C-alpha cells in the first residue's frame, strides 16, 4: 500500500511538469506568440530526490510571473532498494525506505555455560543467566576445577606425605598416593605373652607362644620354663607315712624323712604266701591245700571246683552252669562270694559228658530239673540229706551211675528222675518218700532188687519199666495206691507198664493181677516171662 501511494504521487508530478512545459515554453525563451514579453522572476523548482521505487527530478526554475519554465527539470530514475540482510529478529530490509522482504532468520543459540548465558551465535543476544561453575575441590595434584568447563581456580594442595612403614611405602594421607618402597620388618621373636613383633612398626604376626608351665612342686610355685614367670604358690609337702620298705615320703617330690618300718611277716597259709601284716607284701608262695576227702587238713576249707557259673537271687546263689570249669570231679560249694549257695539250677550240668563225680555240700537244698541229665560219664554222686527237692529228669541218662542214695529229706521222687541209668544197681529210697513219679526208675537195667518203704502212698505208671535185671521187689501195696478200687489200677504190672492205664487202647495181655486168698496174695494171671524171672512180695499196709 505504501509503494502504491508513492507511485501515484510520482505520476501527478510528472503530469504537472508536462502541462507547464506545454503552456509556457516558447522559442528561445520568448513569450508565446500573441503574448507580451515578461520580465521574468525566476522561481527555483526544487529537485525531487528519487526514491527506491519512484523517479526524482533535477533542480529547475520557472517564472513566477508568467510561469515560463526557465530551466527544465530533468527526470532522475528510481534508485532501487538498498537491501540489508535479514537478521535473527528482522526480515531483509531496505536501508533507504525501510521496506522488508521475507522473514527474520531466527537466533542460532549457543547453550549457556559456566560464565555466559544462552547466546545467539549470529547476533550475540543473550537469554537467561550463566550456569555457574560446578567446582571440584582442589586435590593434592590438581587445583580447584570446574567439572563442567574445567576452569581452574587457585592451586593444587600438594601431597601430605606420611612416613613409610614396614607394610606400606611413603603415602599421602589425603589421596593415598604412594612413592618409594615399604621399609623392612625387624622382627623380635615371639614370647610367652606377646606375638612376633616388628621393632620398627610394632606390627605383629602369629600368636604369643604361651607359657610352658612346669607344675608347682612342694617347694616351688608353678613356673614357666621359658620366661621363668611364676604363678601361685608352692604346694607344700604331702607326707605319706613310712611303710615297711620306705621312710616317710613326700607324695609330691619324693623327699624322705626317717627310715622304713620294716616288714611284719605272717606265715604262709594254704592259699596265701608269706605276707607282711602291714603292707600285704608277699614272699614266696602259698603252701597249697592238703586235701583229704575233699577237705584241707590244714585250713579245713572244703575243696571246690573253680569257674562254675552262678546266678544271684535275693541274697542267695544258684549254680546255673559249668562255666569255664573243666574238672571231672565237680565239687559244689555251700558259699560263694560270701553268700549261701542253696540250689542247682535246671539244666545246670546237662549233657556234660566229662563229669565223673559230683559232691554236693550241705548248704544246697534243691536240685533243678534235668540238672545232671545226660552226664553219661557220671559214676558217683554224693547228695546231703538236707536236699528236699530233686526235679524231673534230674539224673536221667547218667548211664554209668552205679548207685544212688535218695536224700532223707525227699518226700517225692519226680518223674524220670533216674530213668535210663543203665548201670544203676543200687537205689535206696528213704522212709519219708510218699510219691514216686512216672517212669522214675525206667530202664535201670542193672537194678536187681529194691525196697519201696511203707511211707509211699502213690506210685505212678512205669516206675520200673524196662528194669529187666530186677529179680526182687518189696512193695507196700499192689497197683497205683493202696486205695485203688478199679482192677486196672490195682494190677501188679501197673508199675512195669509204659502206657497210661486210662488209655482205652492199652493191651492188658501179660499183666499181673493179685487177689487176696487164704494163703495171702496169689497170682491170678502171670505172664510167663515174669513167672520165670521174678519173685514177688506184697506187703499189706
Amino acid at each position: 500500500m505504501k509503494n502504491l501511494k508513492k507511485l501515484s504521487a510520482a505520476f501527478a508530478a510528472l503530469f504537472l511538469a508536462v502541462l507547464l512545459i506545454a503552456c509556457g515554453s516558447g522559442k528561445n525563451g520568448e513569450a508565446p506568440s500573441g503574448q507580451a514579453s515578461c520580465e521574468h522572476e525566476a522561481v527555483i523548482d526544487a529537485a525531487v530526490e528519487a526514491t527506491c521505487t519512484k523517479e526524482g527530478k533535477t533542480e529547475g526554475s520557472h517564472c513566477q510571473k508568467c510561469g515560463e519554465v526557465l530551466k527544465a527539470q530533468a527526470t532522475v530514475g528510481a534508485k532501487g532498494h538498498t537491501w540489508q540482510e535479514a537478521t535473527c529478529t528482522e526480515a531483509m530490509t531496505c536501508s533507504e525506505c525501510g521496506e522488508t522482504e521475507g522473514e527474520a532468520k531466527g537466533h542460532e543459540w549457543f547453550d549457556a555455560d559456566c560464565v555466559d548465558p544462552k547466546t545467539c551465535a549470529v547476533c550475540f543476544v543473550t537469554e537467561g543467566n550463566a550456569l555457574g561453575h560446578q567446582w571440584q575441590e582442589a586435590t593434592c595434584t590438581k587445583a580447584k576445577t570446574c567439572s563442567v568447563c574445567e576452569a581452574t581456580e587457585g592451586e593444587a594442595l600438594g601431597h601430605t606425605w606420611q612416613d613409610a612403614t614396614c607394610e606400606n611405602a611413603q603415602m599421602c594421607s589425603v589421596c593415598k598416593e604412594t612413592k618409594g618402597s615399604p621399609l623392612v620388618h625387624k622382627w623380635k621373636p615371639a614370647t610367652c605373652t606377646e606375638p612376633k613383633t616388628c621393632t620398627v612398626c610394632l606390627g605383629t604376626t602369629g600368636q604369643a607362644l604361651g607359657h610352658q608351665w612346669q607344675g608347682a612342686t612342694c617347694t616351688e610355685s608353678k613356673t614357666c620354663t621359658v620366661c621363668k614367670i611364676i604363678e601361685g604358690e608352692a604346694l607344700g609337702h604331702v607326707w605319706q607315712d613310712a611303710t615297711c620298705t620306705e621312710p616317710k615320703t613326700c607324695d609330691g617330690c619324693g623327699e624322705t624323712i626317717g627310715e622304713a618300718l620294716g616288714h611284719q611277716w605272717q606265715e604262709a597259709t594254704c592259699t596265701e604266701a608269706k605276707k607282711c601284716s602291714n603292707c600285704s607284701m608277699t614272699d614266696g608262695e602259698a603252701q597249697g591245700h592238703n586235701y583229704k576227702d575233699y577237705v584241707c587238713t590244714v585250713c579245713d576249707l572244703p575243696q571246690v571246683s573253680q569257674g562254675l557259673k552262678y546266678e544271684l537271687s535275693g541274697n542267695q546263689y544258684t549254680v546255673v552252669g559249668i562255666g569255664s570249669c573243666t574238672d571231672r570231679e565237680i565239687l559244689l560249694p555251700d558259699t560263694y562270694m560270701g553268700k549261701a549257695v542253696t540250689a542247682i539250677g535246671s539244666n545246670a550240668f546237662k549233657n556234660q559228658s566229662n563229669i565223673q563225680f559230683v559232691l554236693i555240700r550241705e548248704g544246697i537244698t534243691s536240685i533243678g530239673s534235668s540238672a545232671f541229665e545226660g552226664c553219661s560219664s557220671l559214676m558217683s554222686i554224693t547228695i546231703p540229706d538236707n536236699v528236699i527237692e530233686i526235679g524231673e529228669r534230674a539224673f536221667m541218662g547218667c548211664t554209668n551211675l552205679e548207685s544212688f542214695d535218695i536224700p532223707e529229706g525227699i518226700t517225692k521222687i519226680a518223674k524220670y528222675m533216674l530213668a535210663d541209668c543203665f548201670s544203676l544197681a543200687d537205689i535206696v529210697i528213704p522212709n519219708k518218700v510218699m510219691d514216686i513219679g512216672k517212669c522214675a526208675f525206667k530202664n535201670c537195667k542193672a537194678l536187681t532188687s529194691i525196697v519201696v518203704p511203707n511211707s509211699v502212698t502213690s506210685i505212678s505208671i512205669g516206675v520200673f519199666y524196662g528194669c529187666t535185671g530186677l529179680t526182687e521187689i518189696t512193695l507196700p501195696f499192689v497197683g497205683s495206691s493202696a486205695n485203688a478200687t478199679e482192677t486196672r489200677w490195682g494190677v501188679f504190672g501197673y508199675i512195669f507198664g509204659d502206657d497210661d492205664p486210662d488209655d482205652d487202647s492199652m493191651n492188658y495181655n501179660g499183666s499181673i493181677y493179685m487177689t487176696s486168698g487164704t494163703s495171702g496174695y496169689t497170682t491170678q494171671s502171670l505172664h510167663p516171662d515174669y513167672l520165670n524171672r521174678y519173685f514177688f512180695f506184697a506187703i499189706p499196709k
Side-chain angles (χ1 to χ4, degrees):
M1 180 64 71
K2 186 176 180 181
N3 290 334
L4 183 59
K5 289 179 178 180
K6 288 181 178 181
L7 184 59
S8 298
F11 279 125
L14 180 59
F15 177 76
L16 179 59
V18 172
L19 180 61
L20 290 174
I21 293 171
C23 293
S25 64
K27 191 177 177 178
N28 295 321
E30 292 180 355
S33 61
Q35 294 182 2
S37 173
C38 177
E39 290 183 6
H40 294 299
E41 288 183 11
V43 177
I44 298 302
D45 293 320
V48 178
E49 186 176 2
T51 66
C52 299
T53 58
K54 189 176 180 181
E55 293 179 342
K57 292 182 180 180
T58 61
E59 185 179 277
S61 61
H62 67 277
C63 175
Q64 183 175 350
K65 294 178 179 181
C66 63
E68 181 180 351
V69 175
L70 300 180
K71 182 179 179 181
Q73 290 179 303
T75 301
V76 178
K79 294 180 180 180
H81 290 296
T82 302
W83 294 109
Q84 290 182 332
E85 290 294 325
T87 66
C88 299
T89 57
E90 294 182 355
M92 186 168 66
T93 303
C94 178
S95 60
E96 297 296 326
C97 66
E99 187 176 343
T100 63
E101 184 177 280
E103 295 178 353
K105 293 181 177 181
H107 291 295
E108 294 183 10
W109 293 109
F110 281 126
D111 290 337
D113 59 21
C114 299
V115 295
D116 294 315
K118 183 177 179 181
T119 303
C120 179
V122 178
C123 66
F124 302 105
V125 70
T126 64
E127 183 179 279
N129 298 318
L131 300 177
H133 290 295
Q134 301 295 317
W135 291 112
Q136 289 180 330
E137 293 299 324
T139 65
C140 299
T141 56
K142 193 174 182 181
K144 182 178 179 181
T145 304
C146 176
S147 62
V148 178
C149 66
E150 297 188 351
T152 62
E153 183 180 279
E155 296 181 354
L157 300 176
H159 290 297
T160 303
W161 294 108
Q162 290 179 327
D163 292 338
T165 66
C166 299
E167 299 290 341
N168 300 305
Q170 192 176 20
M171 179 183 291
C172 175
S173 63
V174 178
C175 68
K176 308 304 179 184
E177 183 177 339
T178 61
K179 68 177 179 179
S181 301
L183 303 177
V184 177
H185 284 299
K186 293 183 180 179
W187 293 110
K188 178 182 176 182
T191 67
C192 298
T193 56
E194 295 181 353
K196 184 177 178 182
T197 305
C198 176
T199 58
V200 178
C201 67
L202 302 182
T204 61
T205 184
Q207 297 178 345
L209 300 177
H211 291 296
Q212 301 296 315
W213 291 112
Q214 190 174 53
T217 66
C218 301
T219 56
E220 294 183 356
S221 300
K222 181 178 177 182
T223 305
C224 176
T225 59
V226 179
C227 66
K228 307 304 178 185
I229 192 172
I230 63 173
E231 184 179 278
E233 299 179 353
L235 301 176
H237 291 296
V238 179
W239 294 109
Q240 295 287 341
D241 292 337
T243 65
C244 300
T245 56
E246 295 181 358
K248 184 176 180 180
T249 305
C250 176
D251 204 27
C253 66
E255 185 177 337
T256 62
I257 297 175
E259 298 180 354
L261 300 176
H263 290 296
Q264 301 295 317
W265 292 111
Q266 291 178 331
E267 292 301 321
T269 66
C270 298
T271 56
E272 295 183 348
K274 182 179 178 182
K275 182 169 65 175
C276 175
S277 61
N278 290 331
C279 66
S280 298
M281 182 177 180
T282 59
D283 183 14
E285 298 179 353
Q287 291 181 350
H289 292 292
N290 181 23
Y291 288 116
K292 182 179 180 181
D293 297 330
Y294 306 110
V295 178
C296 178
T297 60
V298 178
C299 66
D300 294 327
L301 288 176
Q303 184 178 359
V304 296
S305 295
Q306 302 299 314
L308 298 176
K309 186 176 180 182
Y310 298 88
E311 185 176 282
L312 183 63
S313 177
N315 199 37
Q316 298 175 338
Y317 278 103
T318 297
V319 182
V320 294
I322 190 72
S324 60
C325 180
T326 59
D327 295 349
R328 289 182 178 274
E329 294 185 343
I330 301 299
L331 309 175
L332 299 174
D334 51 12
T335 61
Y336 177 71
M337 297 183 68
K339 291 182 172 60
V341 177
T342 61
I344 300 170
S346 298
N347 304 305
F349 299 97
K350 184 176 181 178
N351 296 326
Q352 295 296 325
S353 59
N354 189 53
I355 298 174
Q356 295 179 348
F357 171 73
V358 175
L359 172 61
I360 300 174
R361 290 196 166 85
E362 293 183 356
I364 294 174
T365 61
S366 173
I367 300 173
S369 59
S370 299
F372 294 94
E373 181 181 349
C375 293
S376 57
S377 297
L378 181 63
M379 293 183 291
S380 178
I381 184 166
T382 299
I383 303 176
D385 286 335
N386 57 320
V387 171
I388 60 174
E389 181 182 5
I390 299 177
E392 300 173 0
R393 304 174 187 267
F395 298 96
M396 181 177 177
C398 294
T399 55
N400 278 295
L401 187 63
E402 297 177 351
S403 65
F404 193 91
D405 290 343
I406 297 173
E408 292 290 338
I410 294 296
T411 60
K412 179 178 181 179
I413 297 174
K415 61 183 179 180
Y416 296 98
M417 188 179 85
L418 289 166
D420 297 333
C421 293
F422 303 143
S423 302
L424 189 60
D426 186 20
I427 300 175
V428 177
I429 302 174
N431 290 324
K432 291 184 180 180
V433 173
M434 299 175 66
D435 297 310
I436 301 177
K438 178 180 178 180
C439 299
F441 309 114
K442 176 183 175 181
N443 290 328
C444 291
K445 297 179 180 181
L447 187 66
T448 58
S449 67
I450 190 168
V451 175
V452 179
N454 291 338
S455 59
V456 175
T457 59
S458 175
I459 302 176
S460 294
I461 188 170
V463 171
F464 297 104
Y465 174 83
C467 296
T468 56
L470 188 62
T471 60
E472 184 175 341
I473 183 170
T474 300
L475 298 169
F477 51 82
V478 173
S480 64
S481 70
N483 299 320
T485 57
E486 294 187 36
T487 301
R488 60 176 179 172
W489 294 107
V491 296
F492 185 75
Y494 172 81
I495 60 176
F496 295 95
D498 193 35
D499 295 314
D500 191 337
D502 286 332
D503 188 348
D504 293 337
S505 65
M506 178 179 177
N507 183 0
Y508 288 95
N509 290 333
S511 296
I512 300 174
Y513 295 83
M514 303 296 292
T515 60
S516 178
T518 57
S519 59
Y521 291 101
T522 60
T523 57
Q524 178 76 14
S525 174
L526 190 64
H527 192 281
D529 286 344
Y530 286 99
L531 286 173
N532 294 332
R533 296 172 56 190
Y534 298 110
F535 178 68
F536 301 101
F537 292 93
I539 305 172
K541 291 183 65 175

